[in-house]
Amino acid sequence: MLDPRLFRTDLDFVKEQLNRRSFNFNPESYVELEARRKDVQVKTQELQNERNSRSKAIGQAKGKGEDVQPLLDQVQYLGDALKAAESELEGIQAEMETLMEGIPNILDEVVPEGKSEEFNLEISRWGDVPEFDFEPKDHVDLGAKLKGIDFELGAKIASSRFVVLSGPLARLQRALIQLMLDMHVAEHGYIETYVPFLANAESLRGTGQLPKFEADLFKASNDPVLYLIPTAEVPVTNRVRDVIVDAKELPLKYVCHSPCFRSEAGAYGRDVRGMIRQHQFEKVELVQIVRPEDSAQAHEDLTVHAENILKKLKLPYRKILLCAGDTGFSSSKTYDLEVWLPGQGSYREISSCSNFKDFQARRLQARWRNPETGKPELVHTLNGSGLAAGRALIAVMENYQDAEGRVRIPEALLPYMGGLEFIE
RNA sequence: GGAGAGAUGGCCGAGCGGCUGAAGGCGCUCCCCUGCUAAGGGAGUAUGGGCUUUAACUCCCAUCGAGGGUUCGAACCCCUCUCUCUCCGCCA
């Protein structure tokens, strides 16, 4: 959620910024609603004030043993007027809330303009794209040959976009997760955390998935209402919902492995082959809660932490700064890391690292006490994949394959593979 | 799942339907005294919002787990829900 004060003081700026995202914001209807809000709120509070002071007078008169009937008669008329004003105000506030919750974050000034991914800005490339003296297979063919990836079985058990991994390839995914967790804890200073994989509506609203993106979620239960998490970002960031964090505790850095569940509504026909886009996948997520002045640097650091995993695995990748149109709803600035997939002959997203600034924090009421002011102020939140394990698995498979269709285990994963050097 | 108890400010803990946004204590901050690993005295110390061109102060509104209700007036009475604790049952 954006700062309501910004809307009142600099509506032109808001409009201009939202335009960058091609977000259709109508200032006139906002101004009209805000005027009604102000009007009705002031009126309501005046009525409440009157009721309170009159009630107090009744109490005092009663205390002195005076006849309070005349005073009671005077307040009679207040009841209905107050009730009407209160419910009108409630309606307007709900309307305002709906409006505000549907408005995306303001983009960082460095975010390039552009409506679609072709305007994304490549920041850097790392690693050498491997040269094969044979035609490299993609992970689907490799996985079938190695009898370790079975999409039909996934579809039989659940539906399309589910997969079953078996044997050394299943272990390879686990090894990747272990490596990531170990590196982020030991080398990057994150606290490992384990969280619920179902989240309530309040939590999903806090991080921005609800109310606007309910169609992307799997609802797991109606009583109580719970959704399968689309990313560990949701439960982990919600650790600080309605919390005032002590300044000394910042920054908070959490790493969390979890399965992620996405309905992929609207992705029909996209990436139907292989493990690129699944309803369920494993991911190691990095989350940081920081002081506002530190978030820009934290964003750079967090992205480097994700990059370090790719470097450790010696997987070629490039770093992309997403353009205005491609940046997510809640994010103000996002770097994507794209890993080279020889089977596809292209770079594909394996990590997305975002600075949400105070957008999530405002929804979450996640604050810290600023020692300089003594007041609670909103924190900044960030997160990034470090990395998506399913995609890391296929990246390893495709980059480390040989002419016989075997997969060599990357050196960094050897300690996690029980002596196995090749999957064949 | 069954039975019972509870939910108040950073913590502990009072609270009669009206003068309680909340006694008292602890903690913390500042000041005074003292002067040295003690003690004493004083002041302050919840959050969100509104009004004000902005900000601070004053002021006003809301909040004592959440949501309804009764009432001129609710932390206090009634209802529903949530959570926590104890006991029983079940259980990876």
Side-chain angles (χ1 to χ4, degrees), chain A residues 132 135-151 161-165 169 172-173 271-278 339-346 348 389-401 405-407 423:
Chain A
F132 296 98
E135 186 64 32
K137 295 185 171 67
D138 77 359
H139 68 281
V140 179
D141 293 339
L142 284 167
K145 182 175 173 297
L146 297 168
K147 296 185 172 41
I149 301 184
D150 193 331
F151 294 99
R161 291 199 193 279
F162 284 92
V163 70
V164 173
L165 302 180
L169 283 175
L172 185 58
Q173 177 172 257
D271 301 316
V272 285
R273 181 176 166 85
M275 274 180 69
I276 290 283
R277 194 172 299 278
Q278 296 280 294
V339 69
W340 176 255
L341 292 183
Q344 298 206 355
S346 65
R348 293 302 305 258
R391 290 187 182 178
L393 173 68
I394 68 181
V396 168
M397 289 173 70
E398 295 191 9
N399 281 281
Y400 281 82
Q401 64 180 298
R406 304 185 304 170
V407 173
I423 297 175

Side-chain angles (χ1 to χ4, degrees), chain A residues 23 40 42 48 59 73 83 121 131 175 188 198 230 244 246 261 271 278 288 308 327 333 372 389 398 406 410 415:
Chain A
F23 180 82
V40 175
V42 169
Q48 286 170 328
D73 293 342
K83 211 166 265 180
L121 191 66
E131 302 284 341
H188 302 144
L198 301 185
I244 300 173
D246 203 284
F261 301 92
D271 301 316
Q278 296 280 294
Q288 290 201 31
N308 285 344
T327 301
K333 181 183 175 188
E372 291 184 18
E398 295 191 9
R406 304 185 304 170

